[in-house]
Each structure stands twice: as structure tokens, then as C-alpha cells.
Amino acid sequence: MRFAYVNGRFCAHPDAAIHVEDRGFQFADAVYEVWSVRDGRLMDADGHFQRLSRSLAELRIPEPRSRPALERIIRELLRRNRVSNGLVYLQISRGQARRDHAFPKQAITPTIVLTCKRLDFAAADRRAETGIGVITVPDQRWARCDIKTVNLLPNVLAKQAAYEAGAAEAWQVDADGYVTEGSSTNAWIVTKAGKLLTRQADNGILHGITRARILDCAQRLGLEVEERAFTPAEALDAREAFLTSATSFVTPVVSIDGKTVANGAPGSLARALRETYLAEA
Ligand code: PMP
């Protein structure tokens, strides 16, 4: 990409930088959001802006820009980079201050960084046609995974483990043996009885915006839905499994830890939900 936005200025992407004393860099004291952009439009814009406000409020970081101001910046960033299909990444940190764990005593200005990139949604469609494999890993994260912070090291290690195992995602499993979510996606199954399951939106998972939209779609399609945790064994015994996120929409999961789910082909409900979601997005 040619341009990024940092603290009020569009700058050449190779020169885009924040200070070494930024609290996002020092402590992961920062939140982020990601929107998919399709045909020049932000997908699920409201949901992502609302979650951004909530993440900031939970960490007591003041909102540095109004939503209309952020939207203007995002539109300009997409225009300058000529991106009409891809994603926008926004990070807001508490700001820059002399290194000390506690919040700075004097008010500081939050740091804002925006970047964007093109995505090949046709490739994502192809992935959805064949489905993907996941592995399971222990969930090693903190107790507030509902806040979308840049504190992503366990997620990074989980995704790397998946790639090294030839899989596309890692489903994290809590101390009680239940799947929480993927490293960057929410996890779903369809039971043999045809019930759609995804973990309740507690502090153990990110409250995915796509997750909420898919719950809506499912209700309108008349599917039976339950928000509760499931185990990897239940997932292996399921009729279908899939994952959701802003950039992957709905992607069928056809194997877990190398064992096939159902007949090893993407399920019909995952396909119907993907189509319904994309038709409305
Ligand atoms: N869980 C985690 C840990 C994530 O990072 C993401 C992606 N932001 C999701 C779930 C999916 O959330 P969304 O549908 O809002 O992209």
C-alpha cells in the first residue's frame, strides 16, 4: 500500500511510524478494529464502530475522533490506496508517555494508526468451496478476550501452530475442555440434530460482529440456535463445523486435528449462511 494514516496525517506507507515510547508498542495498551471493504463499502460498519467504542471504554482510553471523522479518514485512505475490495485496520493506543506501567498521570493524546490492504475475495470464495482444516490448542489468553486489544501473542502462536500443522486455523480450548474460539475467528458447529451452536458471548471470546450477523441470519432462516460452549469431541461428531470473521465471512471447517468432520465436505447450512450474509452485507 502507498499510504497510511498516523496521528492526523496521511504519510507514505514505508515511512509510517509511531514513537518507541508508545504504550501500544510498550504494553499492548491499545485496541483495534478491522472492517472488510466490499465494492468500496465498509461491511457491518455500525457493529465494528460500536465494538471499537466499547473496547476503548473498557480500557478507559478516550475516543480520539468522532465516528464521522473516522469514516472520512477511512474513505480518504481507501481512495488514496485505490482499495475497493480488502480490509481497513485501525489501531488506537493510549498514547505516548515515559515508560511506566500505570496510566500516565497527565492526560495524553491517543495514538491513531490506520492502514488498508487489498484482499482477494475470489480466493476466499474458493476456500469456502473446499473448506479448511483446524487444529485444537490450549487457550492461553487472559480473562478479557471480549476486549479487542492488540495483546495477541497467544493468538499469533496458535495461528503459527496451525500453519505448521498444515491447517488454516487453531481452535483454542479452555481449561474445562470447551472450544472458546479460533485465533482470529469465532467457532460454530451444527449438531446431528440440526442445531446451530456457538459459544455464548462471555469474556472468554471476542464478540464477533460477523458472529452476531450470522445469529441474525440463522434466526431468519428458521434454524434452531443455541449459544453454548461445545467440546472438540462434539465438533468431530457434528454434521457441520464452520468459522466466522469479518474477512473470511463464513468458512466451512472440514477437519479437526486431522480427523474429518462428517463426510469431509462443506455443509449446506454453512453455505446457506455464507450466501445469506453476503447477499445482505
Ligand atoms: N475472534 C477473534 C479472536 C478475532 O480476532 C476475530 C477477528 N477480529 C474474531 C473472533 C471475529 O470477529 P469479527 O467477526 O468481528 O471479525
Side-chain angles (χ1 to χ4, degrees):
M1 282 300 107
R2 296 173 60 205
F3 295 101
Y5 174 93
V6 182
N7 291 333
R9 286 193 319 116
F10 290 97
C11 46
H13 188 269
D15 305 328
I18 55 152
H19 197 271
V20 292
E21 297 276 30
D22 193 274
R23 291 181 60 92
F25 176 65
Q26 293 283 351
F27 301 115
D29 188 0
V31 305
Y32 75 108
E33 256 320 317
V34 176
W35 292 258
S36 258
V37 181
R38 275 219 315 168
D39 300 328
R41 285 193 325 110
L42 290 185
M43 291 174 77
D44 295 336
D46 290 352
H48 289 278
F49 277 112
Q50 280 157 17
R51 186 172 62 190
L52 173 66
S53 295
R54 178 178 182 275
S55 299
L56 289 168
E58 289 294 325
L59 299 187
R60 293 192 277 151
I61 298 175
E63 291 206 21
R65 296 280 188 286
S66 68
R67 173 172 167 178
L70 279 179
E71 286 189 272
R72 274 196 300 278
I73 297 164
I74 289 172
R75 267 199 302 279
E76 178 62 13
L77 183 71
L78 292 170
R79 192 190 68 74
R80 288 190 185 216
N81 286 300
R82 296 199 179 88
V83 170
S84 49
N85 286 288
L87 66 77
V88 174
Y89 174 87
L90 164 66
Q91 182 178 145
I92 299 177
S93 86
R94 192 178 307 281
Q96 173 191 328
R98 207 180 73 128
R99 190 174 187 283
D100 186 3
H101 287 61
F103 297 175
K105 287 200 189 64
Q106 256 124 44
I108 53 172
T109 312
T111 299
I112 308 184
V113 170
L114 275 150
T115 56
C116 65
K117 68 176 177 188
R118 276 190 202 104
L119 286 182
D120 182 357
F121 288 132
D125 283 341
R126 286 195 292 277
R127 238 180 349 265
E129 284 301 314
T130 46
I132 59 159
V134 303
I135 60 165
T136 57
V137 298
D139 193 332
Q140 308 192 91
R141 301 174 301 163
W142 72 327
R144 290 303 307 274
C145 295
D146 57 309
I147 311 174
K148 196 165 171 63
T149 79
V150 301
N151 179 9
L152 289 174
L153 188 52
N155 310 55
V156 166
L157 297 177
K159 187 81 92 189
Q160 182 62 23
Y163 287 174
E164 287 175 8
E169 177 60 302
W171 278 5
Q172 301 167 100
V173 177
D174 69 17
D176 298 324
Y178 291 96
V179 174
T180 52
E181 60 182 336
S183 67
S184 62
T185 55
N186 287 114
W188 303 68
I189 59 171
V190 181
T191 65
K192 286 235 168 72
K195 191 190 264 187
L196 196 55
L197 295 186
T198 193
R199 192 186 176 96
Q200 65 280 2
D202 54 19
N203 291 353
I205 63 167
L206 185 73
H207 304 182
I209 303 306
T210 320
R211 174 188 178 282
R213 288 291 314 280
I214 293 301
L215 283 173
D216 275 359
C217 293
Q219 241 126 37
R220 275 181 289 109
L221 290 174
L223 305 178
E224 200 189 338
V225 181
E226 191 179 350
E227 291 180 62
R228 71 151 170 92
F230 55 84
T231 62
E234 279 184 282
L236 272 171
D237 192 41
R239 185 194 284 178
E240 295 186 30
F242 62 92
L243 47 81
T244 58
S245 75
T247 51
S248 70
F249 316 135
V250 176
T251 303
V253 170
V254 295
S255 77
I256 301 172
D257 290 330
K259 296 175 213 118
T260 55
V261 176
N263 64 356
S268 56
L269 283 188
R271 176 175 312 214
L273 288 166
R274 183 181 174 93
E275 282 169 7
T276 307
Y277 173 74
L278 287 174
E280 292 176 359

